[in-house]
Amino acid sequence: MAGVATLEIAPEDGDQRLDRWFRRHYPALGHGRLEKLLRTGQIRVNGKRARAGTRLAPGDRVRVPPLGDDGEKRAQNRPDPPIDEADAAMMQAAVIYRDADMIALNKPPGLPVQGGSKVARHLDGLLGALRFDAAEAPRLVHRLDRDTSGILLLARHAAAARELTALFRSRSLRKLYWGLVVGVPKPPQGRIDAPLAKRQVGAGERVVATVQGGQRAITDYTLIETAGRRLAWIALMPRTGRTHQLRTHTASVFGHPVVGDGKYGGEAAFPAGFEPRLHLHARALELPRPGNKAPLVFTAPLPPHMAAAWRFLGFDPAPAVDEFAPFEDAP
């Protein structure tokens, strides 16, 4: 039986819960045993006691005690989990760009990016379908909410994962989202600068706008088109990357929840005649390249429920020449 190990969190493993990291790397370790090791302080992060929900960041150091035969074997070189033909076809059809270093995927709405205690089917578990000619499955380098669709980048090897993670952390790439919101924002273009924090609400957790104890969160927005005073198509560019930032900013700060977002918009987020699903889509991502090379720009078509809403409202989702243009002058 091996002794205590101290492992450094790799870039592709950052920004996730500690229990999910253990599930990924020590799949034979049961949840009950993990909780006991945490309660007794045998598992630590950066020398401090930790909980199952402790968020990890690249470079963090995790103390892993001896786990015995049921959990000692790490999962880094385990075979890909079995994937049925329908899921494999769905994943491959979602690819919109691929080269030797990365894959750009149009993530379907409703598919969680990672697993959890009640989540058996998730994108991370289906990445084996996207090996193509590579020696390993691609890796996650950032996240989207379960119900948000659109551009998701995957790294095809460790070096690419480090580079892409660094770009996300330095905020040197740009992300643009499309949303259908209730009401019409005024002014039609501007910036939401409101700190956000996680709070326990009943049996669950929710992000709230707060002055005290929050992390700074900035979202630029511009109005694209309206359906009278009832609904509006807006473009959103997050300048920071907080959990549920766009949903909280539009609903709690702006007063215009995203259609289908009952968590933050309540009943007002469900206007009659629209499918009760989140109408938020990661539309475009601009990735800088070294030297004088032009940046890579990826765009993802709307998912079916949003495309139906656009048709019903008479909105034209045809690609703009430069969808980032309205934000060029923003500081």
PDB file of all heavy atoms in Angstrom, residues 182-214:
ATOM      1  N   VAL A 182     -36.612  38.845 -20.810  1.00  0.00           N
ATOM      2  CA  VAL A 182     -37.942  39.404 -20.610  1.00  0.00           C
ATOM      3  C   VAL A 182     -37.828  40.913 -20.447  1.00  0.00           C
ATOM      4  O   VAL A 182     -37.064  41.398 -19.606  1.00  0.00           O
ATOM      5  CB  VAL A 182     -38.614  38.785 -19.377  1.00  0.00           C
ATOM      6  CG1 VAL A 182     -39.992  39.399 -19.148  1.00  0.00           C
ATOM      7  CG2 VAL A 182     -38.716  37.267 -19.527  1.00  0.00           C
ATOM      8  N   GLY A 183     -38.573  41.672 -21.257  1.00  0.00           N
ATOM      9  CA  GLY A 183     -38.481  43.123 -21.208  1.00  0.00           C
ATOM     10  C   GLY A 183     -37.400  43.655 -22.122  1.00  0.00           C
ATOM     11  O   GLY A 183     -36.703  42.889 -22.802  1.00  0.00           O
ATOM     12  N   VAL A 184     -37.240  44.969 -22.126  1.00  0.00           N
ATOM     13  CA  VAL A 184     -36.263  45.624 -22.999  1.00  0.00           C
ATOM     14  C   VAL A 184     -35.279  46.433 -22.150  1.00  0.00           C
ATOM     15  O   VAL A 184     -35.686  47.362 -21.448  1.00  0.00           O
ATOM     16  CB  VAL A 184     -36.962  46.557 -24.010  1.00  0.00           C
ATOM     17  CG1 VAL A 184     -35.925  47.264 -24.877  1.00  0.00           C
ATOM     18  CG2 VAL A 184     -37.933  45.758 -24.877  1.00  0.00           C
ATOM     19  N   PRO A 185     -34.000  46.082 -22.191  1.00  0.00           N
ATOM     20  CA  PRO A 185     -33.007  46.785 -21.376  1.00  0.00           C
ATOM     21  C   PRO A 185     -32.862  48.260 -21.783  1.00  0.00           C
ATOM     22  O   PRO A 185     -32.911  48.598 -22.957  1.00  0.00           O
ATOM     23  CB  PRO A 185     -31.701  46.018 -21.667  1.00  0.00           C
ATOM     24  CG  PRO A 185     -32.146  44.695 -22.185  1.00  0.00           C
ATOM     25  CD  PRO A 185     -33.411  44.939 -22.922  1.00  0.00           C
ATOM     26  N   LYS A 186     -32.687  49.100 -20.780  1.00  0.00           N
ATOM     27  CA  LYS A 186     -32.383  50.512 -20.998  1.00  0.00           C
ATOM     28  C   LYS A 186     -31.244  50.911 -20.067  1.00  0.00           C
ATOM     29  O   LYS A 186     -31.290  50.601 -18.873  1.00  0.00           O
ATOM     30  CB  LYS A 186     -33.620  51.380 -20.720  1.00  0.00           C
ATOM     31  CG  LYS A 186     -34.765  51.161 -21.701  1.00  0.00           C
ATOM     32  CD  LYS A 186     -35.933  52.083 -21.379  1.00  0.00           C
ATOM     33  CE  LYS A 186     -37.079  51.867 -22.372  1.00  0.00           C
ATOM     34  NZ  LYS A 186     -38.235  52.747 -22.068  1.00  0.00           N
ATOM     35  N   PRO A 187     -30.215  51.571 -20.622  1.00  0.00           N
ATOM     36  CA  PRO A 187     -30.022  51.944 -22.026  1.00  0.00           C
ATOM     37  C   PRO A 187     -29.762  50.705 -22.885  1.00  0.00           C
ATOM     38  O   PRO A 187     -29.505  49.618 -22.348  1.00  0.00           O
ATOM     39  CB  PRO A 187     -28.792  52.850 -21.975  1.00  0.00           C
ATOM     40  CG  PRO A 187     -28.029  52.391 -20.782  1.00  0.00           C
ATOM     41  CD  PRO A 187     -29.068  51.987 -19.773  1.00  0.00           C
ATOM     42  N   PRO A 188     -29.780  50.858 -24.204  1.00  0.00           N
ATOM     43  CA  PRO A 188     -29.635  49.686 -25.075  1.00  0.00           C
ATOM     44  C   PRO A 188     -28.231  49.101 -25.100  1.00  0.00           C
ATOM     45  O   PRO A 188     -28.037  48.017 -25.654  1.00  0.00           O
ATOM     46  CB  PRO A 188     -30.031  50.224 -26.450  1.00  0.00           C
ATOM     47  CG  PRO A 188     -29.797  51.694 -26.366  1.00  0.00           C
ATOM     48  CD  PRO A 188     -30.101  52.082 -24.961  1.00  0.00           C
ATOM     49  N   GLN A 189     -27.279  49.785 -24.544  1.00  0.00           N
ATOM     50  CA  GLN A 189     -25.918  49.256 -24.492  1.00  0.00           C
ATOM     51  C   GLN A 189     -25.244  49.770 -23.235  1.00  0.00           C
ATOM     52  O   GLN A 189     -25.467  50.911 -22.810  1.00  0.00           O
ATOM     53  CB  GLN A 189     -25.112  49.697 -25.724  1.00  0.00           C
ATOM     54  CG  GLN A 189     -23.722  49.062 -25.816  1.00  0.00           C
ATOM     55  CD  GLN A 189     -23.054  49.334 -27.160  1.00  0.00           C
ATOM     56  OE1 GLN A 189     -23.556  50.117 -27.960  1.00  0.00           O
ATOM     57  NE2 GLN A 189     -21.943  48.688 -27.423  1.00  0.00           N
ATOM     58  N   GLY A 190     -24.452  48.910 -22.599  1.00  0.00           N
ATOM     59  CA  GLY A 190     -23.795  49.365 -21.382  1.00  0.00           C
ATOM     60  C   GLY A 190     -23.025  48.263 -20.692  1.00  0.00           C
ATOM     61  O   GLY A 190     -22.693  47.238 -21.284  1.00  0.00           O
ATOM     62  N   ARG A 191     -22.783  48.480 -19.406  1.00  0.00           N
ATOM     63  CA  ARG A 191     -21.976  47.556 -18.602  1.00  0.00           C
ATOM     64  C   ARG A 191     -22.660  47.321 -17.266  1.00  0.00           C
ATOM     65  O   ARG A 191     -23.150  48.261 -16.631  1.00  0.00           O
ATOM     66  CB  ARG A 191     -20.584  48.119 -18.390  1.00  0.00           C
ATOM     67  CG  ARG A 191     -19.752  47.389 -17.337  1.00  0.00           C
ATOM     68  CD  ARG A 191     -18.292  47.773 -17.374  1.00  0.00           C
ATOM     69  NE  ARG A 191     -17.653  47.243 -18.583  1.00  0.00           N
ATOM     70  CZ  ARG A 191     -16.353  47.374 -18.844  1.00  0.00           C
ATOM     71  NH1 ARG A 191     -15.564  48.021 -18.009  1.00  0.00           N
ATOM     72  NH2 ARG A 191     -15.847  46.851 -19.950  1.00  0.00           N
ATOM     73  N   ILE A 192     -22.703  46.072 -16.845  1.00  0.00           N
ATOM     74  CA  ILE A 192     -23.169  45.706 -15.506  1.00  0.00           C
ATOM     75  C   ILE A 192     -21.933  45.367 -14.681  1.00  0.00           C
ATOM     76  O   ILE A 192     -21.178  44.452 -15.027  1.00  0.00           O
ATOM     77  CB  ILE A 192     -24.126  44.503 -15.551  1.00  0.00           C
ATOM     78  CG1 ILE A 192     -25.295  44.774 -16.499  1.00  0.00           C
ATOM     79  CG2 ILE A 192     -24.636  44.177 -14.155  1.00  0.00           C
ATOM     80  CD1 ILE A 192     -26.150  43.549 -16.769  1.00  0.00           C
ATOM     81  N   ASP A 193     -21.709  46.106 -13.625  1.00  0.00           N
ATOM     82  CA  ASP A 193     -20.543  45.906 -12.755  1.00  0.00           C
ATOM     83  C   ASP A 193     -21.080  45.690 -11.348  1.00  0.00           C
ATOM     84  O   ASP A 193     -21.340  46.638 -10.619  1.00  0.00           O
ATOM     85  CB  ASP A 193     -19.622  47.125 -12.828  1.00  0.00           C
ATOM     86  CG  ASP A 193     -18.298  46.905 -12.098  1.00  0.00           C
ATOM     87  OD1 ASP A 193     -18.210  45.935 -11.312  1.00  0.00           O
ATOM     88  OD2 ASP A 193     -17.361  47.709 -12.299  1.00  0.00           O
ATOM     89  N   ALA A 194     -21.289  44.430 -10.974  1.00  0.00           N
ATOM     90  CA  ALA A 194     -21.903  44.105  -9.685  1.00  0.00           C
ATOM     91  C   ALA A 194     -21.255  42.858  -9.106  1.00  0.00           C
ATOM     92  O   ALA A 194     -21.261  41.805  -9.755  1.00  0.00           O
ATOM     93  CB  ALA A 194     -23.409  43.903  -9.840  1.00  0.00           C
ATOM     94  N   PRO A 195     -20.696  42.938  -7.902  1.00  0.00           N
ATOM     95  CA  PRO A 195     -20.061  41.766  -7.289  1.00  0.00           C
ATOM     96  C   PRO A 195     -21.062  40.640  -7.052  1.00  0.00           C
ATOM     97  O   PRO A 195     -22.245  40.874  -6.789  1.00  0.00           O
ATOM     98  CB  PRO A 195     -19.521  42.306  -5.956  1.00  0.00           C
ATOM     99  CG  PRO A 195     -19.466  43.785  -6.125  1.00  0.00           C
ATOM    100  CD  PRO A 195     -20.588  44.134  -7.051  1.00  0.00           C
ATOM    101  N   LEU A 196     -20.575  39.402  -7.128  1.00  0.00           N
ATOM    102  CA  LEU A 196     -21.411  38.225  -6.945  1.00  0.00           C
ATOM    103  C   LEU A 196     -20.814  37.314  -5.875  1.00  0.00           C
ATOM    104  O   LEU A 196     -19.595  37.231  -5.718  1.00  0.00           O
ATOM    105  CB  LEU A 196     -21.547  37.443  -8.257  1.00  0.00           C
ATOM    106  CG  LEU A 196     -22.146  38.191  -9.451  1.00  0.00           C
ATOM    107  CD1 LEU A 196     -22.114  37.307 -10.685  1.00  0.00           C
ATOM    108  CD2 LEU A 196     -23.559  38.663  -9.155  1.00  0.00           C
ATOM    109  N   ALA A 197     -21.696  36.627  -5.155  1.00  0.00           N
ATOM    110  CA  ALA A 197     -21.252  35.679  -4.134  1.00  0.00           C
ATOM    111  C   ALA A 197     -22.228  34.517  -4.082  1.00  0.00           C
ATOM    112  O   ALA A 197     -23.400  34.660  -4.432  1.00  0.00           O
ATOM    113  CB  ALA A 197     -21.171  36.362  -2.765  1.00  0.00           C
ATOM    114  N   LYS A 198     -21.741  33.366  -3.648  1.00  0.00           N
ATOM    115  CA  LYS A 198     -22.593  32.201  -3.482  1.00  0.00           C
ATOM    116  C   LYS A 198     -23.197  32.213  -2.081  1.00  0.00           C
ATOM    117  O   LYS A 198     -22.516  32.477  -1.101  1.00  0.00           O
ATOM    118  CB  LYS A 198     -21.800  30.911  -3.703  1.00  0.00           C
ATOM    119  CG  LYS A 198     -21.316  30.726  -5.124  1.00  0.00           C
ATOM    120  CD  LYS A 198     -20.533  29.439  -5.276  1.00  0.00           C
ATOM    121  CE  LYS A 198     -20.023  29.264  -6.704  1.00  0.00           C
ATOM    122  NZ  LYS A 198     -19.212  28.035  -6.857  1.00  0.00           N
ATOM    123  N   ARG A 199     -24.491  31.934  -2.017  1.00  0.00           N
ATOM    124  CA  ARG A 199     -25.200  31.902  -0.736  1.00  0.00           C
ATOM    125  C   ARG A 199     -26.054  30.640  -0.664  1.00  0.00           C
ATOM    126  O   ARG A 199     -26.584  30.172  -1.674  1.00  0.00           O
ATOM    127  CB  ARG A 199     -26.105  33.125  -0.588  1.00  0.00           C
ATOM    128  CG  ARG A 199     -25.345  34.449  -0.523  1.00  0.00           C
ATOM    129  CD  ARG A 199     -24.674  34.631   0.819  1.00  0.00           C
ATOM    130  NE  ARG A 199     -24.080  35.959   0.941  1.00  0.00           N
ATOM    131  CZ  ARG A 199     -22.810  36.245   0.666  1.00  0.00           C
ATOM    132  NH1 ARG A 199     -22.009  35.271   0.237  1.00  0.00           N
ATOM    133  NH2 ARG A 199     -22.349  37.480   0.822  1.00  0.00           N
ATOM    134  N   GLN A 200     -26.208  30.101   0.533  1.00  0.00           N
ATOM    135  CA  GLN A 200     -27.083  28.963   0.738  1.00  0.00           C
ATOM    136  C   GLN A 200     -28.522  29.455   0.794  1.00  0.00           C
ATOM    137  O   GLN A 200     -28.865  30.331   1.591  1.00  0.00           O
ATOM    138  CB  GLN A 200     -26.724  28.241   2.043  1.00  0.00           C
ATOM    139  CG  GLN A 200     -27.291  26.843   2.157  1.00  0.00           C
ATOM    140  CD  GLN A 200     -26.618  25.858   1.200  1.00  0.00           C
ATOM    141  OE1 GLN A 200     -25.481  26.058   0.802  1.00  0.00           O
ATOM    142  NE2 GLN A 200     -27.332  24.792   0.849  1.00  0.00           N
ATOM    143  N   VAL A 201     -29.363  28.930  -0.076  1.00  0.00           N
ATOM    144  CA  VAL A 201     -30.772  29.304  -0.121  1.00  0.00           C
ATOM    145  C   VAL A 201     -31.588  28.027  -0.008  1.00  0.00           C
ATOM    146  O   VAL A 201     -31.641  27.233  -0.949  1.00  0.00           O
ATOM    147  CB  VAL A 201     -31.121  30.062  -1.418  1.00  0.00           C
ATOM    148  CG1 VAL A 201     -32.610  30.408  -1.431  1.00  0.00           C
ATOM    149  CG2 VAL A 201     -30.274  31.315  -1.564  1.00  0.00           C
ATOM    150  N   GLY A 202     -32.202  27.812   1.157  1.00  0.00           N
ATOM    151  CA  GLY A 202     -32.923  26.568   1.388  1.00  0.00           C
ATOM    152  C   GLY A 202     -31.968  25.390   1.344  1.00  0.00           C
ATOM    153  O   GLY A 202     -30.928  25.393   1.994  1.00  0.00           O
ATOM    154  N   ALA A 203     -32.305  24.399   0.527  1.00  0.00           N
ATOM    155  CA  ALA A 203     -31.454  23.209   0.425  1.00  0.00           C
ATOM    156  C   ALA A 203     -30.413  23.338  -0.664  1.00  0.00           C
ATOM    157  O   ALA A 203     -29.584  22.444  -0.850  1.00  0.00           O
ATOM    158  CB  ALA A 203     -32.320  21.979   0.157  1.00  0.00           C
ATOM    159  N   GLY A 204     -30.433  24.446  -1.390  1.00  0.00           N
ATOM    160  CA  GLY A 204     -29.501  24.600  -2.499  1.00  0.00           C
ATOM    161  C   GLY A 204     -28.626  25.828  -2.372  1.00  0.00           C
ATOM    162  O   GLY A 204     -28.643  26.546  -1.371  1.00  0.00           O
ATOM    163  N   GLU A 205     -27.850  26.061  -3.418  1.00  0.00           N
ATOM    164  CA  GLU A 205     -26.921  27.184  -3.457  1.00  0.00           C
ATOM    165  C   GLU A 205     -27.308  28.094  -4.610  1.00  0.00           C
ATOM    166  O   GLU A 205     -27.732  27.634  -5.667  1.00  0.00           O
ATOM    167  CB  GLU A 205     -25.492  26.657  -3.644  1.00  0.00           C
ATOM    168  CG  GLU A 205     -24.410  27.689  -3.463  1.00  0.00           C
ATOM    169  CD  GLU A 205     -23.022  27.075  -3.585  1.00  0.00           C
ATOM    170  OE1 GLU A 205     -22.700  26.591  -4.688  1.00  0.00           O
ATOM    171  OE2 GLU A 205     -22.278  27.064  -2.598  1.00  0.00           O
ATOM    172  N   ARG A 206     -27.174  29.395  -4.383  1.00  0.00           N
ATOM    173  CA  ARG A 206     -27.532  30.358  -5.414  1.00  0.00           C
ATOM    174  C   ARG A 206     -26.518  31.488  -5.416  1.00  0.00           C
ATOM    175  O   ARG A 206     -25.967  31.850  -4.380  1.00  0.00           O
ATOM    176  CB  ARG A 206     -28.936  30.901  -5.163  1.00  0.00           C
ATOM    177  CG  ARG A 206     -29.433  31.860  -6.232  1.00  0.00           C
ATOM    178  CD  ARG A 206     -30.880  32.231  -6.012  1.00  0.00           C
ATOM    179  NE  ARG A 206     -31.758  31.073  -6.087  1.00  0.00           N
ATOM    180  CZ  ARG A 206     -33.076  31.142  -6.025  1.00  0.00           C
ATOM    181  NH1 ARG A 206     -33.680  32.297  -5.885  1.00  0.00           N
ATOM    182  NH2 ARG A 206     -33.811  30.051  -6.115  1.00  0.00           N
ATOM    183  N   VAL A 207     -26.269  32.027  -6.603  1.00  0.00           N
ATOM    184  CA  VAL A 207     -25.387  33.195  -6.727  1.00  0.00           C
ATOM    185  C   VAL A 207     -26.238  34.437  -6.564  1.00  0.00           C
ATOM    186  O   VAL A 207     -27.317  34.561  -7.148  1.00  0.00           O
ATOM    187  CB  VAL A 207     -24.680  33.193  -8.098  1.00  0.00           C
ATOM    188  CG1 VAL A 207     -23.853  34.447  -8.271  1.00  0.00           C
ATOM    189  CG2 VAL A 207     -23.793  31.953  -8.224  1.00  0.00           C
ATOM    190  N   VAL A 208     -25.753  35.373  -5.757  1.00  0.00           N
ATOM    191  CA  VAL A 208     -26.488  36.612  -5.513  1.00  0.00           C
ATOM    192  C   VAL A 208     -25.573  37.805  -5.728  1.00  0.00           C
ATOM    193  O   VAL A 208     -24.352  37.720  -5.568  1.00  0.00           O
ATOM    194  CB  VAL A 208     -27.062  36.651  -4.084  1.00  0.00           C
ATOM    195  CG1 VAL A 208     -28.043  35.512  -3.862  1.00  0.00           C
ATOM    196  CG2 VAL A 208     -25.944  36.612  -3.037  1.00  0.00           C
ATOM    197  N   ALA A 209     -26.172  38.926  -6.113  1.00  0.00           N
ATOM    198  CA  ALA A 209     -25.443  40.183  -6.198  1.00  0.00           C
ATOM    199  C   ALA A 209     -25.325  40.752  -4.799  1.00  0.00           C
ATOM    200  O   ALA A 209     -26.303  40.841  -4.066  1.00  0.00           O
ATOM    201  CB  ALA A 209     -26.169  41.152  -7.121  1.00  0.00           C
ATOM    202  N   THR A 210     -24.130  41.120  -4.406  1.00  0.00           N
ATOM    203  CA  THR A 210     -23.902  41.600  -3.050  1.00  0.00           C
ATOM    204  C   THR A 210     -22.756  42.594  -3.028  1.00  0.00           C
ATOM    205  O   THR A 210     -21.852  42.538  -3.870  1.00  0.00           O
ATOM    206  CB  THR A 210     -23.598  40.428  -2.097  1.00  0.00           C
ATOM    207  OG1 THR A 210     -23.363  40.933  -0.783  1.00  0.00           O
ATOM    208  CG2 THR A 210     -22.367  39.653  -2.548  1.00  0.00           C
ATOM    209  N   VAL A 211     -22.791  43.491  -2.069  1.00  0.00           N
ATOM    210  CA  VAL A 211     -21.703  44.464  -1.920  1.00  0.00           C
ATOM    211  C   VAL A 211     -20.602  43.881  -1.050  1.00  0.00           C
ATOM    212  O   VAL A 211     -19.413  44.087  -1.292  1.00  0.00           O
ATOM    213  CB  VAL A 211     -22.229  45.780  -1.314  1.00  0.00           C
ATOM    214  CG1 VAL A 211     -21.082  46.751  -1.053  1.00  0.00           C
ATOM    215  CG2 VAL A 211     -23.262  46.413  -2.236  1.00  0.00           C
ATOM    216  N   GLN A 212     -20.998  43.125  -0.029  1.00  0.00           N
ATOM    217  CA  GLN A 212     -20.031  42.574   0.917  1.00  0.00           C
ATOM    218  C   GLN A 212     -19.769  41.100   0.616  1.00  0.00           C
ATOM    219  O   GLN A 212     -20.697  40.322   0.428  1.00  0.00           O
ATOM    220  CB  GLN A 212     -20.544  42.720   2.350  1.00  0.00           C
ATOM    221  CG  GLN A 212     -20.705  44.174   2.793  1.00  0.00           C
ATOM    222  CD  GLN A 212     -21.157  44.283   4.233  1.00  0.00           C
ATOM    223  OE1 GLN A 212     -21.680  43.324   4.787  1.00  0.00           O
ATOM    224  NE2 GLN A 212     -20.957  45.437   4.825  1.00  0.00           N
ATOM    225  N   GLY A 213     -18.502  40.759   0.591  1.00  0.00           N
ATOM    226  CA  GLY A 213     -18.111  39.361   0.434  1.00  0.00           C
ATOM    227  C   GLY A 213     -18.219  38.808  -0.966  1.00  0.00           C
ATOM    228  O   GLY A 213     -18.083  37.610  -1.170  1.00  0.00           O
ATOM    229  N   GLY A 214     -18.474  39.669  -1.940  1.00  0.00           N
ATOM    230  CA  GLY A 214     -18.602  39.192  -3.308  1.00  0.00           C
ATOM    231  C   GLY A 214     -17.351  39.408  -4.128  1.00  0.00           C
ATOM    232  O   GLY A 214     -16.474  40.191  -3.764  1.00  0.00           O
TER     233      GLY A 214
END
